[in-house]
Amino acid sequence: MQKGRDYFIKAIRRSFSSTPSPISQMDQSTRYRYGPALKWNPMVEEYFVKAYGADRFARISTALTCPSCYSCIRVNTLKSTSDTVIEKLLEIFKERGMCNVAVQECIGSVESLKEIKCISKCQYPGLDYVVFIKGSGPHAIHYGDNEGKPLKEVIVSRKCAEAVLRGAQVYVPGVLACSAHVERGDEVVVSVAVEQAGPDGGWGIAMTRGSVLQGSQADPYYFERDGFYIGQATAMMSRAEMFRVSEGVAVDMKERVFRLPSFYDLLEGEIFLQNLPSIITAHALGEWQRINLVDHYALRSNDVIDPQPGERILDMCAAPGGKTTAIANLMKDKGEVVAVDRSHNKVLGIQKLAAEMGLSCISTYKLDALKSVCRGAEFDSLPNTCSAENVQTTRATDVLSTGIDGCDAQLLSQTNFIDLQLKDGRYTSKAELRKRIRQLKNGPGRNHTAGGRVEKSKGFSPNSFDRVLLDAPCSALGLRPRLFAGEETIDSLRRHAKYQRRMFDQAVQLVRPGGVLVYSTCTINPGENESLVRYALDTYEFLSLASQYPKVGGPGLTGSCQLPDGFVEEWLKPGEENLVQRFDPSSDLDTIGFFIAKFSVGLKN
């Protein structure tokens, strides 16, 4: 297993992980550069230094401010193959004029893109359906000389900048401020406004959207923007248009600090842009040691097996659907994958992704993970819907008796009365009916703006799933690039951990004896990772850590750590660290920060 991981790391280094290009002195100004320093809450920084050591945490903080040097895409093996996708991507990149750039930066020859391996299949056994696309950076950008005058500039939000660093364009909602007299076609520099500490101890952006930049020190965040310049662009709109319209590309990025291809609307249904650790999480769920119950007191383990048709799998926090569809792919679209999320629009997103990828074994429901277990239910799933066959159609005289005027009555004549009047299988009150009429006239609320129907679930019976994946909501301190981390405090990190334990308590009840439970997060916080594993093993005697395949990540953290308030956080015990996978963003793998733990479920008391 270790030899396979070492070979995989060498392949990553050989294909992608060249030493970052040093920032040259093409631009003599120290202002127009990219060199952010990640800001942390002082107590959180102290905690992480205890956990990782000062040097390692410094490397992690630096790595978090940069995107990975490659993009990772998962091929939908039900529709295509890795070789076919690579050929299509090569043609697309050639059409976009990306051929010469990639050749010069990879090898410096005039060979074809395929020969220089700027696009490559993952070399780890079992992951050949994963394709890497090489990026590059950081690059020095020559912003030009405006004859002593300030350069025209556009300030974008932090979230927008983080997306741009990953290859996206600057869209209108992300623009915060702009220089005066910017017209369509003008060259502009793009900088970032990062949250700053306020007088009340909080963090925020003290800038009015639409502010005019004069290029002087009186501009908002003038000094704070030093080292936060992410590229040069061409304005696609005038300054007035940027703050008048609600959508569209505001500026077209021409020169970027990091050059990564955009996969927006690219080969939809055939590929899915997904982080490598996230793909590996689906594999961890897909193979396990099946536990046979010999009797009430003894257990034994059989060989590792592949997913079989008829198995039932639950993805508890499924949005945006990457892991859900990866699991369905591994199952060859057989069996049943139940995907739930508490957001209406996110469930719709999962449905759309499953349809694009041609997957029919996925069932979606709107459900809060904290209410996943339906106590006393006689059946596994109880969608909160009502069949029209059991309801009589409302008569026009019944509607008119509610006091609705003629205009609304005409609107109702075009509407399904059942959809308006039913609530949990019962007729609603007249006041509720009038409220629904107003919603029909005024449009859906913001939680339902995507449209479409989503089934609600009241939960599932205990022991009703073969496997459960809990990719828990977390502090997300492993996502990259990240330009700000000061919002998290020791208290907020502990609240995340408590929330995850409550969800884990639900997940444990849903896995049948002999099944498997996989827990994962995208954070570097040990309190949400190793500490959760310690809680699980100490609380549930029938749980045990299981080995994972493929094993690509590094070992977990052992020992404990005392928090500033005196609380001692317990982590893994010696011998357990190699049964989990921890992905360090500063390691040679160059991934996001991620954590995976896999539990075998024994006989429950």
Side-chain angles (χ1 to χ4, degrees):
M1 189 71 71
Q2 183 62 34
K3 289 183 179 179
R5 182 175 184 272
D6 293 342
Y7 175 78
F8 179 71
I9 292 176
K10 289 179 181 178
I12 289 284
R13 284 175 174 171
R14 183 168 58 250
S15 298
F16 306 111
S17 298
S18 57
T19 303
S21 306
I23 298 294
S24 69
Q25 299 301 316
M26 295 175 66
D27 189 295
Q28 299 299 322
S29 171
T30 59
R31 175 173 179 78
Y32 299 107
R33 61 185 177 84
Y34 184 77
L38 201 56
K39 294 182 179 180
W40 299 88
N41 176 283
M43 295 179 69
V44 171
E45 184 171 6
E46 179 185 351
Y47 165 63
F48 284 150
V49 167
K50 287 182 179 179
Y52 294 104
D55 291 341
R56 184 181 176 186
F57 180 61
R59 293 194 300 271
I60 290 175
S61 291
T62 301
L64 288 175
T65 62
C66 304
S68 298
C69 68
Y70 58 91
S71 297
C72 178
I73 60 174
R74 173 171 56 84
V75 176
N76 181 5
T77 54
L78 299 180
K79 284 190 172 184
S80 188
T81 65
S82 297
D83 291 332
T84 300
V85 165
I86 289 175
E87 292 294 334
K88 289 182 178 181
L89 289 175
L90 288 170
E91 290 300 321
I92 291 172
F93 291 162
K94 288 178 182 178
E95 291 175 2
R96 293 182 177 182
M98 299 171 62
C99 223
N100 293 334
V101 174
V103 169
Q104 291 171 358
E105 293 185 354
C106 289
I107 290 183
S109 68
V110 292
E111 299 178 66
S112 70
L113 283 172
K114 190 174 182 181
E115 291 173 340
I116 65 169
K117 297 184 184 301
C118 82
I119 303 179
S120 175
K121 283 193 293 187
C122 180
Q123 299 299 309
Y124 200 94
L127 293 176
D128 57 346
Y129 64 94
V130 177
V131 175
F132 296 129
I133 295 89
K134 188 183 188 308
S136 61
H139 295 279
I141 298 177
H142 181 58
Y143 289 99
D145 185 5
N146 199 24
E147 298 178 354
K149 299 179 181 179
L151 298 173
K152 292 185 178 181
E153 185 170 345
V154 170
I155 301 179
V156 300
S157 67
R158 173 177 59 87
K159 291 289 187 181
C160 175
E162 290 169 351
V164 169
L165 290 171
R166 294 192 297 268
Q169 291 288 5
V170 176
Y171 291 88
V172 166
V175 178
L176 295 180
C178 180
S179 298
H181 311 301
V182 169
E183 300 295 337
R184 186 189 298 247
D186 286 353
E187 295 297 318
V188 296
V189 298
V190 182
S191 62
V192 189
V194 176
E195 291 87 339
Q196 303 295 326
D200 59 350
W203 298 85
I205 300 292
M207 179 189 301
T208 302
R209 187 172 187 272
S211 297
V212 179
L213 303 179
Q214 303 294 343
S216 67
Q217 297 183 8
D219 286 344
Y221 294 108
Y222 180 85
F223 294 103
E224 289 80 0
R225 297 200 309 276
D226 285 359
F228 279 89
Y229 284 80
I230 60 174
Q232 193 166 29
T234 300
M236 304 301 290
M237 303 176 178
S238 66
R239 174 193 155 75
E241 288 178 300
M242 290 182 194
F243 300 107
R244 186 174 65 238
V245 301
S246 59
E247 59 184 15
V249 176
V251 297
D252 180 21
M253 298 296 298
K254 298 300 184 183
E255 294 291 335
R256 299 171 180 266
V257 175
F258 293 93
R259 295 170 188 164
L260 293 167
S262 173
F263 294 91
Y264 181 72
D265 284 342
L266 196 63
L267 300 182
E268 284 190 356
E270 291 187 62
I271 63 173
F272 184 77
L273 185 64
Q274 190 170 9
N275 290 299
L276 180 64
S278 179
I279 297 173
I280 292 172
T281 302
H283 270 273
L285 189 75
E287 296 184 351
W288 75 97
Q289 290 183 331
R290 182 182 293 276
I291 300 176
N292 291 330
L293 302 180
V294 181
D295 51 40
H296 290 294
Y297 305 102
L299 298 173
R300 68 178 183 179
S301 299
N302 286 339
D303 293 336
V304 173
I305 63 173
D306 291 326
Q308 298 296 321
E311 292 173 347
R312 196 169 187 229
I313 298 176
L314 173 65
D315 189 350
M316 284 182 65
C317 303
K323 297 181 186 67
T324 302
T325 52
I327 294 167
N329 268 126
L330 290 175
M331 295 180 67
K332 303 185 185 304
D333 202 26
K334 298 179 181 179
E336 181 184 10
V337 180
V338 178
V340 301
D341 199 276
R342 68 179 185 179
S343 166
H344 178 102
N345 283 351
K346 288 182 178 179
V347 174
L348 288 175
I350 299 170
Q351 293 175 356
K352 179 183 177 183
L353 179 61
E356 287 177 355
M357 305 193 84
L359 299 169
S360 59
C361 71
I362 298 174
S363 303
T364 60
Y365 297 100
K366 179 181 178 181
L367 176 65
D368 187 341
L370 295 178
K371 302 176 182 177
S372 297
V373 179
C374 183
R375 289 297 179 185
E378 296 181 357
F379 37 85
D380 294 339
S381 177
L382 187 62
N384 189 19
T385 57
C386 185
S387 173
E389 297 176 354
N390 300 324
V391 182
Q392 296 180 351
T393 304
T394 304
R395 295 176 299 178
T397 54
D398 296 332
V399 175
L400 293 175
S401 67
T402 62
I404 298 173
D405 61 28
C407 294
D408 289 343
Q410 183 179 2
L411 180 64
L412 280 173
S413 66
Q414 305 170 8
T415 306
N416 188 339
F417 297 144
I418 296 173
D419 292 339
L420 283 170
Q421 286 203 284
L422 285 176
K423 183 179 181 182
D424 299 332
R426 300 185 300 274
Y427 282 102
T428 59
S429 65
K430 296 178 181 179
E432 180 67 19
L433 181 57
R434 286 192 292 269
K435 177 182 177 181
R436 296 193 184 192
I437 295 294
R438 290 194 300 270
Q439 291 175 341
L440 185 64
K441 293 170 63 178
N442 299 329
R446 64 180 182 181
N447 291 330
H448 299 80
T449 53
R453 290 183 61 86
V454 168
E455 281 192 284
K456 297 180 181 179
S457 173
K458 292 184 178 179
F460 308 96
S461 297
N463 305 321
S464 58
F465 291 93
D466 297 293
R467 285 169 275 175
V468 171
L469 169 61
L470 175 56
D471 183 46
C474 64
S475 57
L477 291 178
L479 296 183
R480 52 190 293 209
R482 171 178 286 275
L483 301 180
F484 177 71
E487 75 275 13
E488 292 293 351
T489 65
I490 291 294
D491 288 340
S492 69
L493 293 181
R494 292 181 68 173
R495 284 194 296 271
H496 286 304
K498 290 178 181 179
Y499 187 55
Q500 291 152 359
R501 291 185 181 189
R502 292 173 60 196
M503 285 187 287
F504 190 89
D505 292 337
Q506 295 279 304
V508 168
Q509 299 176 61
L510 294 173
V511 189
R512 64 164 179 79
V516 68
L517 169 60
V518 171
Y519 173 83
S520 63
T521 70
C522 57
T523 182
I524 63 172
N525 176 26
E528 301 174 68
N529 297 332
E530 286 86 354
S531 184
L532 185 284
V533 174
R534 179 81 280 122
Y535 164 80
L537 296 177
D538 291 346
T539 304
Y540 301 101
E541 295 181 354
F542 54 83
L543 290 182
S544 60
L545 284 173
S547 58
Q548 302 180 36
Y549 179 84
K551 183 66 183 298
V552 178
L557 302 178
T558 59
S560 61
C561 181
Q562 185 174 1
L563 300 182
D565 60 0
F567 176 79
V568 177
E569 192 175 79
E570 298 289 343
W571 299 337
L572 301 178
K573 295 179 179 179
E576 297 174 336
E577 67 273 18
N578 290 319
L579 292 175
V580 303
Q581 296 197 66
R582 169 179 274 279
F583 292 83
D584 186 332
S586 65
S587 73
D588 293 327
L589 289 174
D590 197 22
T591 66
I592 62 172
F594 208 86
F595 181 85
I596 309 171
K598 176 181 175 183
F599 300 90
S600 294
V601 182
L603 183 66
K604 299 181 180 181
N605 294 328

